mmCIF file of all heavy atoms in Angstrom:
data_model
loop_
_atom_site.group_PDB
_atom_site.id
_atom_site.type_symbol
_atom_site.label_atom_id
_atom_site.label_comp_id
_atom_site.label_asym_id
_atom_site.label_seq_id
_atom_site.Cartn_x
_atom_site.Cartn_y
_atom_site.Cartn_z
ATOM 1 N N SER A 18 -8.370 -6.396 16.231
ATOM 2 C CA SER A 18 -9.152 -5.372 15.521
ATOM 3 C C SER A 18 -8.290 -4.602 14.639
ATOM 4 O O SER A 18 -7.085 -4.569 14.771
ATOM 5 C CB SER A 18 -9.913 -4.522 16.538
ATOM 6 O OG SER A 18 -8.955 -3.805 17.288
ATOM 7 N N PHE A 19 -8.959 -3.919 13.616
ATOM 8 C CA PHE A 19 -8.168 -3.010 12.812
ATOM 9 C C PHE A 19 -8.245 -1.658 13.372
ATOM 10 O O PHE A 19 -9.169 -0.901 13.153
ATOM 11 C CB PHE A 19 -8.802 -2.969 11.395
ATOM 12 C CG PHE A 19 -8.748 -4.370 10.689
ATOM 13 C CD1 PHE A 19 -9.853 -5.217 10.697
ATOM 14 C CD2 PHE A 19 -7.592 -4.780 10.061
ATOM 15 C CE1 PHE A 19 -9.699 -6.483 10.031
ATOM 16 C CE2 PHE A 19 -7.407 -6.007 9.484
ATOM 17 C CZ PHE A 19 -8.454 -6.890 9.480
ATOM 18 N N ASP A 20 -7.190 -1.296 14.196
ATOM 19 C CA ASP A 20 -7.205 -0.196 15.039
ATOM 20 C C ASP A 20 -6.276 0.962 14.579
ATOM 21 O O ASP A 20 -6.171 2.007 15.289
ATOM 22 C CB ASP A 20 -6.851 -0.609 16.435
ATOM 23 C CG ASP A 20 -5.631 -1.467 16.535
ATOM 24 O OD1 ASP A 20 -4.886 -1.586 15.568
ATOM 25 O OD2 ASP A 20 -5.211 -1.805 17.650
ATOM 26 N N THR A 21 -5.582 0.892 13.526
ATOM 27 C CA THR A 21 -4.640 1.819 13.033
ATOM 28 C C THR A 21 -5.115 2.280 11.657
ATOM 29 O O THR A 21 -5.094 1.461 10.669
ATOM 30 C CB THR A 21 -3.181 1.294 12.960
ATOM 31 O OG1 THR A 21 -2.859 0.769 14.236
ATOM 32 C CG2 THR A 21 -2.289 2.467 12.542
ATOM 33 N N THR A 22 -5.412 3.566 11.515
ATOM 34 C CA THR A 22 -6.020 4.110 10.233
ATOM 35 C C THR A 22 -4.820 4.865 9.563
ATOM 36 O O THR A 22 -4.144 5.767 10.115
ATOM 37 C CB THR A 22 -7.126 5.087 10.497
ATOM 38 O OG1 THR A 22 -8.210 4.376 11.080
ATOM 39 C CG2 THR A 22 -7.567 5.652 9.124
ATOM 40 N N TRP A 23 -4.452 4.503 8.295
ATOM 41 C CA TRP A 23 -3.352 5.067 7.625
ATOM 42 C C TRP A 23 -3.922 6.299 6.881
ATOM 43 O O TRP A 23 -5.090 6.410 6.402
ATOM 44 C CB TRP A 23 -2.794 4.152 6.629
ATOM 45 C CG TRP A 23 -2.144 2.898 7.200
ATOM 46 C CD1 TRP A 23 -2.467 2.274 8.291
ATOM 47 C CD2 TRP A 23 -1.006 2.237 6.636
ATOM 48 N NE1 TRP A 23 -1.616 1.213 8.557
ATOM 49 C CE2 TRP A 23 -0.708 1.135 7.522
ATOM 50 C CE3 TRP A 23 -0.133 2.447 5.547
ATOM 51 C CZ2 TRP A 23 0.396 0.363 7.311
ATOM 52 C CZ3 TRP A 23 0.803 1.552 5.318
ATOM 53 C CH2 TRP A 23 1.209 0.534 6.162
ATOM 54 N N LEU A 24 -3.042 7.353 6.705
ATOM 55 C CA LEU A 24 -3.311 8.503 5.866
ATOM 56 C C LEU A 24 -2.907 8.190 4.413
ATOM 57 O O LEU A 24 -2.129 7.179 4.146
ATOM 58 C CB LEU A 24 -2.455 9.683 6.324
ATOM 59 C CG LEU A 24 -2.689 10.199 7.850
ATOM 60 C CD1 LEU A 24 -1.694 11.313 8.153
ATOM 61 C CD2 LEU A 24 -4.117 10.649 7.978
ATOM 62 N N VAL A 25 -3.473 8.853 3.521
ATOM 63 C CA VAL A 25 -3.196 8.627 2.117
ATOM 64 C C VAL A 25 -1.671 8.879 1.807
ATOM 65 O O VAL A 25 -1.104 8.323 0.729
ATOM 66 C CB VAL A 25 -4.001 9.606 1.148
ATOM 67 C CG1 VAL A 25 -5.470 9.220 1.306
ATOM 68 C CG2 VAL A 25 -3.710 11.068 1.473
ATOM 69 N N THR A 26 -0.956 9.601 2.639
ATOM 70 C CA THR A 26 0.499 9.813 2.393
ATOM 71 C C THR A 26 1.301 8.572 2.996
ATOM 72 O O THR A 26 2.496 8.572 2.799
ATOM 73 C CB THR A 26 0.937 11.048 3.118
ATOM 74 O OG1 THR A 26 0.535 11.010 4.467
ATOM 75 C CG2 THR A 26 0.367 12.361 2.328
ATOM 76 N N ASP A 27 0.655 7.689 3.608
ATOM 77 C CA ASP A 27 1.363 6.465 4.276
ATOM 78 C C ASP A 27 1.427 5.313 3.315
ATOM 79 O O ASP A 27 2.232 4.353 3.659
ATOM 80 C CB ASP A 27 0.626 6.123 5.543
ATOM 81 C CG ASP A 27 0.745 7.036 6.679
ATOM 82 O OD1 ASP A 27 1.729 7.737 6.771
ATOM 83 O OD2 ASP A 27 -0.258 7.145 7.373
ATOM 84 N N PHE A 28 0.816 5.435 2.185
ATOM 85 C CA PHE A 28 0.824 4.227 1.292
ATOM 86 C C PHE A 28 0.713 4.715 -0.162
ATOM 87 O O PHE A 28 0.276 5.753 -0.431
ATOM 88 C CB PHE A 28 -0.209 3.242 1.591
ATOM 89 C CG PHE A 28 -1.695 3.800 1.351
ATOM 90 C CD1 PHE A 28 -2.294 3.504 0.176
ATOM 91 C CD2 PHE A 28 -2.359 4.402 2.339
ATOM 92 C CE1 PHE A 28 -3.608 4.065 -0.092
ATOM 93 C CE2 PHE A 28 -3.639 4.877 2.134
ATOM 94 C CZ PHE A 28 -4.240 4.698 0.977
ATOM 95 N N GLN A 29 1.137 3.853 -1.045
ATOM 96 C CA GLN A 29 0.983 4.163 -2.561
ATOM 97 C C GLN A 29 0.458 2.831 -3.219
ATOM 98 O O GLN A 29 0.855 1.696 -2.853
ATOM 99 C CB GLN A 29 2.271 4.666 -3.184
ATOM 100 C CG GLN A 29 3.353 3.569 -3.323
ATOM 101 C CD GLN A 29 4.701 4.135 -3.835
ATOM 102 O OE1 GLN A 29 4.830 5.380 -3.871
ATOM 103 N NE2 GLN A 29 5.448 3.332 -4.334
ATOM 104 N N LEU A 30 -0.394 3.130 -4.175
ATOM 105 C CA LEU A 30 -0.889 1.919 -4.929
ATOM 106 C C LEU A 30 0.073 1.715 -6.136
ATOM 107 O O LEU A 30 0.491 2.618 -6.768
ATOM 108 C CB LEU A 30 -2.303 2.242 -5.463
ATOM 109 C CG LEU A 30 -3.336 2.510 -4.307
ATOM 110 C CD1 LEU A 30 -4.694 2.809 -5.051
ATOM 111 C CD2 LEU A 30 -3.514 1.303 -3.464
ATOM 112 N N GLU A 31 0.227 0.439 -6.452
ATOM 113 C CA GLU A 31 1.029 0.092 -7.551
ATOM 114 C C GLU A 31 0.391 -0.989 -8.524
ATOM 115 O O GLU A 31 -0.500 -1.710 -7.932
ATOM 116 C CB GLU A 31 2.407 -0.523 -7.032
ATOM 117 C CG GLU A 31 3.233 0.437 -6.284
ATOM 118 C CD GLU A 31 4.485 -0.174 -5.693
ATOM 119 O OE1 GLU A 31 4.644 -1.440 -5.684
ATOM 120 O OE2 GLU A 31 5.250 0.563 -5.205
ATOM 121 N N PRO A 32 0.728 -0.959 -9.814
ATOM 122 C CA PRO A 32 1.805 -0.341 -10.482
ATOM 123 C C PRO A 32 1.518 1.163 -10.501
ATOM 124 O O PRO A 32 0.433 1.677 -10.584
ATOM 125 C CB PRO A 32 1.847 -0.868 -11.848
ATOM 126 C CG PRO A 32 0.377 -1.375 -12.059
ATOM 127 C CD PRO A 32 -0.128 -1.802 -10.731
ATOM 128 N N LEU A 33 2.601 2.029 -10.360
ATOM 129 C CA LEU A 33 2.520 3.425 -10.144
ATOM 130 C C LEU A 33 1.898 4.145 -11.424
ATOM 131 O O LEU A 33 1.104 5.033 -11.189
ATOM 132 C CB LEU A 33 3.971 4.022 -10.020
ATOM 133 C CG LEU A 33 4.609 3.625 -8.749
ATOM 134 C CD1 LEU A 33 6.025 4.184 -8.620
ATOM 135 C CD2 LEU A 33 3.846 4.212 -7.515
ATOM 136 N N ASN A 34 2.129 3.611 -12.553
ATOM 137 C CA ASN A 34 1.644 4.358 -13.756
ATOM 138 C C ASN A 34 0.370 3.669 -14.334
ATOM 139 O O ASN A 34 -0.041 4.057 -15.406
ATOM 140 C CB ASN A 34 2.728 4.486 -14.857
ATOM 141 C CG ASN A 34 3.865 5.163 -14.321
ATOM 142 O OD1 ASN A 34 3.732 6.343 -13.879
ATOM 143 N ND2 ASN A 34 5.128 4.757 -14.529
ATOM 144 N N GLY A 35 -0.220 2.682 -13.606
ATOM 145 C CA GLY A 35 -1.435 2.057 -13.968
ATOM 146 C C GLY A 35 -1.241 1.267 -15.251
ATOM 147 O O GLY A 35 -2.256 1.055 -15.950
ATOM 148 N N THR A 36 -0.105 0.750 -15.634
ATOM 149 C CA THR A 36 0.129 -0.176 -16.756
ATOM 150 C C THR A 36 0.976 -1.321 -16.451
ATOM 151 O O THR A 36 1.945 -1.167 -15.611
ATOM 152 C CB THR A 36 0.668 0.620 -17.936
ATOM 153 O OG1 THR A 36 1.906 1.134 -17.573
ATOM 154 C CG2 THR A 36 -0.262 1.673 -18.364
ATOM 155 N N VAL A 37 0.648 -2.421 -17.066
ATOM 156 C CA VAL A 37 1.461 -3.671 -16.896
ATOM 157 C C VAL A 37 1.746 -4.273 -18.260
ATOM 158 O O VAL A 37 0.688 -4.565 -18.915
ATOM 159 C CB VAL A 37 0.907 -4.690 -15.911
ATOM 160 C CG1 VAL A 37 1.706 -5.920 -15.964
ATOM 161 C CG2 VAL A 37 0.708 -4.147 -14.540
ATOM 162 N N SER A 38 2.932 -4.376 -18.737
ATOM 163 C CA SER A 38 3.241 -4.886 -20.152
ATOM 164 C C SER A 38 2.464 -4.198 -21.127
ATOM 165 O O SER A 38 2.039 -4.726 -22.075
ATOM 166 C CB SER A 38 2.897 -6.383 -20.076
ATOM 167 O OG SER A 38 3.714 -7.171 -19.104
ATOM 168 N N GLY A 39 2.378 -2.833 -21.005
ATOM 169 C CA GLY A 39 1.666 -2.014 -21.949
ATOM 170 C C GLY A 39 0.192 -1.974 -21.812
ATOM 171 O O GLY A 39 -0.475 -1.276 -22.661
ATOM 172 N N LEU A 40 -0.404 -2.789 -20.888
ATOM 173 C CA LEU A 40 -1.857 -2.814 -20.755
ATOM 174 C C LEU A 40 -2.276 -1.969 -19.559
ATOM 175 O O LEU A 40 -1.648 -2.109 -18.501
ATOM 176 C CB LEU A 40 -2.365 -4.211 -20.723
ATOM 177 C CG LEU A 40 -2.125 -5.127 -21.888
ATOM 178 C CD1 LEU A 40 -2.472 -6.547 -21.546
ATOM 179 C CD2 LEU A 40 -2.917 -4.682 -23.128
ATOM 180 N N THR A 41 -3.378 -1.266 -19.682
ATOM 181 C CA THR A 41 -3.908 -0.477 -18.538
ATOM 182 C C THR A 41 -4.282 -1.608 -17.457
ATOM 183 O O THR A 41 -4.908 -2.598 -17.757
ATOM 184 C CB THR A 41 -5.106 0.335 -18.872
ATOM 185 O OG1 THR A 41 -4.784 1.290 -19.933
ATOM 186 C CG2 THR A 41 -5.712 0.980 -17.696
ATOM 187 N N SER A 42 -3.998 -1.237 -16.204
ATOM 188 C CA SER A 42 -4.262 -2.157 -15.043
ATOM 189 C C SER A 42 -4.651 -1.400 -13.844
ATOM 190 O O SER A 42 -4.127 -0.330 -13.533
ATOM 191 C CB SER A 42 -3.031 -3.012 -14.758
ATOM 192 O OG SER A 42 -3.153 -3.769 -13.588
ATOM 193 N N PRO A 43 -5.498 -1.913 -13.003
ATOM 194 C CA PRO A 43 -5.804 -1.356 -11.751
ATOM 195 C C PRO A 43 -4.594 -1.630 -10.810
ATOM 196 O O PRO A 43 -3.818 -2.379 -11.147
ATOM 197 C CB PRO A 43 -7.080 -2.056 -11.294
ATOM 198 C CG PRO A 43 -7.073 -3.365 -12.057
ATOM 199 C CD PRO A 43 -6.365 -3.154 -13.277
ATOM 200 N N ALA A 44 -4.673 -1.103 -9.561
ATOM 201 C CA ALA A 44 -3.671 -1.403 -8.573
ATOM 202 C C ALA A 44 -3.878 -2.837 -8.120
ATOM 203 O O ALA A 44 -4.994 -3.362 -7.976
ATOM 204 C CB ALA A 44 -3.738 -0.421 -7.377
ATOM 205 N N THR A 45 -2.781 -3.474 -7.843
ATOM 206 C CA THR A 45 -2.748 -4.906 -7.442
ATOM 207 C C THR A 45 -1.874 -5.071 -6.146
ATOM 208 O O THR A 45 -1.721 -6.238 -5.631
ATOM 209 C CB THR A 45 -2.349 -5.925 -8.479
ATOM 210 O OG1 THR A 45 -0.988 -5.475 -8.966
ATOM 211 C CG2 THR A 45 -3.346 -5.881 -9.630
ATOM 212 N N ARG A 46 -1.278 -4.015 -5.708
ATOM 213 C CA ARG A 46 -0.547 -4.079 -4.424
ATOM 214 C C ARG A 46 -0.470 -2.699 -3.796
ATOM 215 O O ARG A 46 -0.645 -1.719 -4.423
ATOM 216 C CB ARG A 46 0.868 -4.667 -4.670
ATOM 217 C CG ARG A 46 1.673 -3.847 -5.593
ATOM 218 C CD ARG A 46 3.100 -4.540 -5.810
ATOM 219 N NE ARG A 46 3.830 -3.816 -6.793
ATOM 220 C CZ ARG A 46 3.862 -4.030 -8.123
ATOM 221 N NH1 ARG A 46 3.072 -5.041 -8.534
ATOM 222 N NH2 ARG A 46 4.590 -3.287 -8.919
ATOM 223 N N VAL A 47 -0.226 -2.695 -2.522
ATOM 224 C CA VAL A 47 -0.027 -1.474 -1.692
ATOM 225 C C VAL A 47 1.305 -1.467 -1.085
ATOM 226 O O VAL A 47 1.692 -2.475 -0.507
ATOM 227 C CB VAL A 47 -1.140 -1.273 -0.620
ATOM 228 C CG1 VAL A 47 -1.047 -0.048 0.141
ATOM 229 C CG2 VAL A 47 -2.572 -1.544 -1.220
ATOM 230 N N ARG A 48 2.008 -0.325 -1.164
ATOM 231 C CA ARG A 48 3.306 -0.194 -0.594
ATOM 232 C C ARG A 48 3.292 0.806 0.535
ATOM 233 O O ARG A 48 2.743 1.888 0.467
ATOM 234 C CB ARG A 48 4.379 0.168 -1.691
ATOM 235 C CG ARG A 48 5.833 0.218 -1.105
ATOM 236 C CD ARG A 48 6.814 0.561 -2.214
ATOM 237 N NE ARG A 48 6.773 -0.418 -3.251
ATOM 238 C CZ ARG A 48 7.389 -1.584 -3.222
ATOM 239 N NH1 ARG A 48 8.151 -1.888 -2.210
ATOM 240 N NH2 ARG A 48 7.372 -2.420 -4.251
ATOM 241 N N ALA A 49 3.957 0.423 1.690
ATOM 242 C CA ALA A 49 4.054 1.307 2.789
ATOM 243 C C ALA A 49 5.116 2.281 2.518
ATOM 244 O O ALA A 49 6.223 1.974 2.245
ATOM 245 C CB ALA A 49 4.299 0.583 4.079
ATOM 246 N N VAL A 50 4.817 3.686 2.623
ATOM 247 C CA VAL A 50 5.818 4.654 2.284
ATOM 248 C C VAL A 50 5.799 5.780 3.341
ATOM 249 O O VAL A 50 6.490 6.784 3.199
ATOM 250 C CB VAL A 50 5.540 5.294 0.883
ATOM 251 C CG1 VAL A 50 5.744 4.320 -0.234
ATOM 252 C CG2 VAL A 50 4.108 5.916 0.816
ATOM 253 N N GLY A 51 5.071 5.685 4.397
ATOM 254 C CA GLY A 51 4.960 6.724 5.417
ATOM 255 C C GLY A 51 5.362 6.300 6.802
ATOM 256 O O GLY A 51 6.378 5.576 6.977
ATOM 257 N N GLN A 52 4.518 6.591 7.776
ATOM 258 C CA GLN A 52 4.929 6.405 9.149
ATOM 259 C C GLN A 52 4.691 4.944 9.638
ATOM 260 O O GLN A 52 4.987 4.596 10.761
ATOM 261 C CB GLN A 52 4.177 7.399 10.054
ATOM 262 C CG GLN A 52 2.650 7.363 9.980
ATOM 263 C CD GLN A 52 1.944 8.238 10.894
ATOM 264 O OE1 GLN A 52 2.475 8.519 11.937
ATOM 265 N NE2 GLN A 52 0.824 8.908 10.389
ATOM 266 N N TYR A 53 3.871 4.118 8.882
ATOM 267 C CA TYR A 53 3.514 2.812 9.246
ATOM 268 C C TYR A 53 4.141 1.711 8.486
ATOM 269 O O TYR A 53 4.523 1.972 7.262
ATOM 270 C CB TYR A 53 1.981 2.661 9.261
ATOM 271 C CG TYR A 53 1.253 3.560 10.179
ATOM 272 C CD1 TYR A 53 0.365 4.515 9.574
ATOM 273 C CD2 TYR A 53 1.353 3.608 11.519
ATOM 274 C CE1 TYR A 53 -0.336 5.395 10.379
ATOM 275 C CE2 TYR A 53 0.691 4.470 12.278
ATOM 276 C CZ TYR A 53 -0.202 5.415 11.736
ATOM 277 O OH TYR A 53 -0.883 6.279 12.498
ATOM 278 N N LEU A 54 4.239 0.528 9.074
ATOM 279 C CA LEU A 54 4.611 -0.640 8.351
ATOM 280 C C LEU A 54 3.442 -1.692 8.458
ATOM 281 O O LEU A 54 2.636 -1.612 9.431
ATOM 282 C CB LEU A 54 5.904 -1.287 8.906
ATOM 283 C CG LEU A 54 7.169 -0.434 8.754
ATOM 284 C CD1 LEU A 54 8.287 -1.121 9.478
ATOM 285 C CD2 LEU A 54 7.530 -0.180 7.252
ATOM 286 N N PHE A 55 3.330 -2.587 7.497
ATOM 287 C CA PHE A 55 2.294 -3.663 7.585
ATOM 288 C C PHE A 55 2.741 -4.625 8.748
ATOM 289 O O PHE A 55 3.836 -5.124 8.800
ATOM 290 C CB PHE A 55 2.163 -4.445 6.305
ATOM 291 C CG PHE A 55 1.667 -3.519 5.170
ATOM 292 C CD1 PHE A 55 2.347 -3.252 4.020
ATOM 293 C CD2 PHE A 55 0.378 -2.934 5.346
ATOM 294 C CE1 PHE A 55 1.849 -2.411 3.084
ATOM 295 C CE2 PHE A 55 -0.095 -2.110 4.331
ATOM 296 C CZ PHE A 55 0.673 -1.870 3.195
ATOM 297 N N PRO A 56 1.814 -4.985 9.632
ATOM 298 C CA PRO A 56 2.117 -5.939 10.732
ATOM 299 C C PRO A 56 2.380 -7.366 10.163
ATOM 300 O O PRO A 56 1.584 -7.905 9.399
ATOM 301 C CB PRO A 56 0.867 -5.889 11.594
ATOM 302 C CG PRO A 56 0.114 -4.714 11.155
ATOM 303 C CD PRO A 56 0.383 -4.495 9.710
ATOM 304 N N VAL A 57 3.602 -7.796 10.447
ATOM 305 C CA VAL A 57 3.955 -9.227 10.175
ATOM 306 C C VAL A 57 4.447 -9.853 11.388
ATOM 307 O O VAL A 57 5.574 -9.446 11.949
ATOM 308 C CB VAL A 57 4.954 -9.251 9.057
ATOM 309 C CG1 VAL A 57 5.342 -10.647 8.695
ATOM 310 C CG2 VAL A 57 4.528 -8.520 7.766
ATOM 311 N N TRP A 58 3.690 -10.754 12.028
ATOM 312 C CA TRP A 58 4.062 -11.295 13.284
ATOM 313 C C TRP A 58 4.965 -12.543 13.061
ATOM 314 O O TRP A 58 4.883 -13.215 11.934
ATOM 315 C CB TRP A 58 2.809 -11.730 13.987
ATOM 316 C CG TRP A 58 1.898 -10.578 14.412
ATOM 317 C CD1 TRP A 58 2.279 -9.676 15.350
ATOM 318 C CD2 TRP A 58 0.630 -10.236 13.749
ATOM 319 N NE1 TRP A 58 1.255 -8.638 15.360
ATOM 320 C CE2 TRP A 58 0.320 -8.921 14.426
ATOM 321 C CE3 TRP A 58 -0.058 -10.783 12.847
ATOM 322 C CZ2 TRP A 58 -0.893 -8.395 14.156
ATOM 323 C CZ3 TRP A 58 -1.329 -10.122 12.541
ATOM 324 C CH2 TRP A 58 -1.702 -8.935 13.110
ATOM 325 N N SER A 59 5.711 -12.915 14.037
ATOM 326 C CA SER A 59 6.650 -14.002 13.950
ATOM 327 C C SER A 59 5.915 -15.348 13.933
ATOM 328 O O SER A 59 4.725 -15.413 14.276
ATOM 329 C CB SER A 59 7.623 -13.989 15.182
ATOM 330 O OG SER A 59 6.900 -14.260 16.409
#
């Protein structure tokens, strides 16, 4: 189950400035920057 809720301070959307190669772009990745890490099992 999805049992861990992140705060807005726990992640950031990228690209940070909303542009790629000079073109406006929505976010296409999420980076963990707070108290949690993304679960990656062995």
Side-chain angles (χ1 to χ4, degrees):
S18 65
F19 296 100
D20 53 2
T21 305
T22 302
W23 294 34
L24 300 176
V25 293
T26 53
D27 291 325
F28 65 91
Q29 68 183 21
L30 300 179
E31 298 178 344
L33 292 176
N34 298 309
T36 59
V37 175
S38 301
L40 296 172
T41 300
S42 173
T45 54
R46 61 183 175 270
V47 182
R48 184 177 300 276
V50 295
Q52 60 180 323
Y53 300 117
L54 296 177
F55 294 119
V57 180
W58 297 290
S59 66

